[in-house]
Amino acid sequence: MTRPSISIILPARNEAGAIGHTVERIRTEHPDAEVLVVDDGSTDSTAELAARAGAKVVSHPYGMGNGAAIKTGSRAAQGTIFVFMDADGQHDPADISRLLIRLEEGGFDMVVGARGNGSQASIGRGLANRFYNRLASWMTGHRIQDLTSGFRVVRAEKFREFLYLLPNGFSYPTTITMAFFRAGYAVAYEPIVAMQRIGKSHIRPLRDGIRFLLIIFRIGTLYSPLKLFVPIAALHFLLGIGYYIYTFASDHRLSMASVFLWTAAVTIFLIGLVSEQITQLMYRPTDNARSKA
């Protein structure tokens, strides 16, 4: 069997403090791999140091976002297996081999490096990530151990199927993880230890936290709308019953508010049902194309 070719893609923006050492370690661990650094409009010497260390560098003319860098790297990479990792020194290049072995031996489509509690940047970030993991697990119906990890290996042809879904900013890991689960691709997790990053983080907790939530709901509704619409419809229905019991006990009458809540519940449910049918139609051409391939 032909050994799969590997492209290691690192999105980088103003990572001069870590990029050179990171690329050198990757090339030591995987000398035959393509190492591709996507310089996202850095104002420091990130691109120069990456090239000097032996990486192929693709540069954006200005900062377009982490997700845009991932998409640029995915289009430029030549390998059949993609390895994504951060350029800030958090991820240990020695762990790449473990993720690749898990991908090949387990027959998975993507393997994610899952950080433990001790690898979180702060207590607040750890609690937030735990909440995101549980919410995304409920939306997809699968246990997600680390929704936002940027360290993962994936089969290139399957990753490229979802490039149009990836946001240009944060968070591509959230989007691709949920998309793979909802598409029925096999995803596994491999425990890793993430180290303290070198330099300043580009993540803004409040702004990007809200963005993560929106991405979870957007991808969840794209693939399984009833997961969102049914609970909302049920809440309206139960509120209508509760208010009816209250008004009947106090005034022996049926309130128009209860009728409105029940009508809203039925309407929301029907919208969710139609949305579910639309998502099925969206997937039908893709499934037919795969069956012909």
Side-chain angles (χ1 to χ4, degrees):
M1 295 181 63
T2 303
R3 185 177 180 181
S5 56
I6 300 168
S7 292
I8 302 174
I9 303 170
L10 298 89
R13 185 177 185 182
N14 295 332
E15 300 291 357
I19 189 66
H21 179 65
T22 300
V23 171
E24 289 173 359
R25 288 202 58 200
I26 290 173
R27 290 188 58 79
T28 299
E29 294 283 343
H30 298 275
D32 297 328
E34 176 187 35
V35 182
L36 180 61
V37 172
V38 182
D39 173 32
D40 186 36
S42 296
T43 56
D44 61 9
S45 57
T46 294
E48 179 185 348
L49 292 173
R52 188 182 303 169
K56 175 183 176 182
V57 178
V58 179
S59 296
H60 288 167
Y62 56 89
M64 300 171 65
N66 180 264
I70 289 294
K71 289 188 275 191
T72 296
S74 300
R75 295 184 183 111
Q78 301 298 313
T80 58
I81 301 292
F82 289 164
V83 179
F84 297 104
M85 59 188 299
D86 294 343
D88 56 15
Q90 287 192 77
H91 301 143
D92 187 352
D95 289 333
I96 295 175
S97 295
R98 291 197 295 114
L99 271 64
L100 290 171
I101 291 172
R102 186 79 184 278
L103 184 82
E104 292 301 322
E105 293 186 352
F108 294 103
D109 298 303
M110 180 166 67
V111 176
V112 181
R115 298 162 295 181
N117 292 332
S119 296
Q120 300 296 337
S122 65
I123 296 177
R125 286 274 294 276
L127 291 174
N129 286 336
R130 191 175 303 174
F131 170 74
Y132 298 144
N133 292 341
R134 291 187 178 182
L135 178 60
S137 297
W138 173 73
M139 292 292 290
T140 60
H142 297 273
R143 182 170 180 261
I144 295 177
Q145 297 181 33
D146 194 342
L147 182 66
T148 61
S149 173
F151 190 16
R152 57 191 62 214
V153 300
V154 60
R155 301 190 187 278
E157 75 280 4
K158 293 182 177 177
F159 185 87
R160 287 192 176 113
E161 290 180 23
F162 302 103
L163 286 184
Y164 72 99
L165 280 178
L166 302 185
N168 285 337
F170 292 100
S171 157
Y172 101 85
T174 301
T175 304
I176 199 65
T177 298
M178 297 186 68
F180 261 56
F181 274 121
R182 294 306 303 170
Y185 290 147
V187 179
Y189 289 88
E190 185 71 17
I192 64 167
V193 175
M195 295 167 281
Q196 187 71 26
R197 67 161 286 133
I198 298 172
K200 184 179 179 181
S201 174
H202 302 298
I203 295 179
R204 299 179 183 177
L206 181 59
R207 183 196 66 179
D208 293 320
I210 295 173
R211 190 174 298 175
F212 290 155
L213 286 176
L214 292 176
I215 289 171
I216 291 171
F217 285 124
R218 179 169 65 88
I219 301 302
T221 53
L222 179 62
Y223 291 105
S224 185
L226 286 178
K227 283 275 190 177
L228 181 62
F229 284 96
V230 166
I232 296 175
L235 177 62
H236 280 74
F237 185 76
L238 293 174
L239 287 174
I241 290 179
Y243 195 68
Y244 167 69
I245 293 174
Y246 169 75
T247 55
F248 184 81
S250 60
D251 300 326
H252 294 86
R253 66 183 179 87
L254 173 62
S255 170
M256 288 301 297
S258 294
V259 176
F260 173 79
L261 287 168
W262 290 333
T263 303
V266 173
T267 303
I268 292 170
F269 173 75
L270 291 177
I271 292 173
L273 198 60
V274 172
S275 300
E276 189 80 19
Q277 297 303 316
I278 291 173
T279 59
Q280 295 299 323
L281 291 174
M282 286 174 60
Y283 255 85
R284 187 171 298 171
T286 301
D287 292 337
N288 289 340
R290 286 177 187 161
S291 65
K292 294 177 182 178

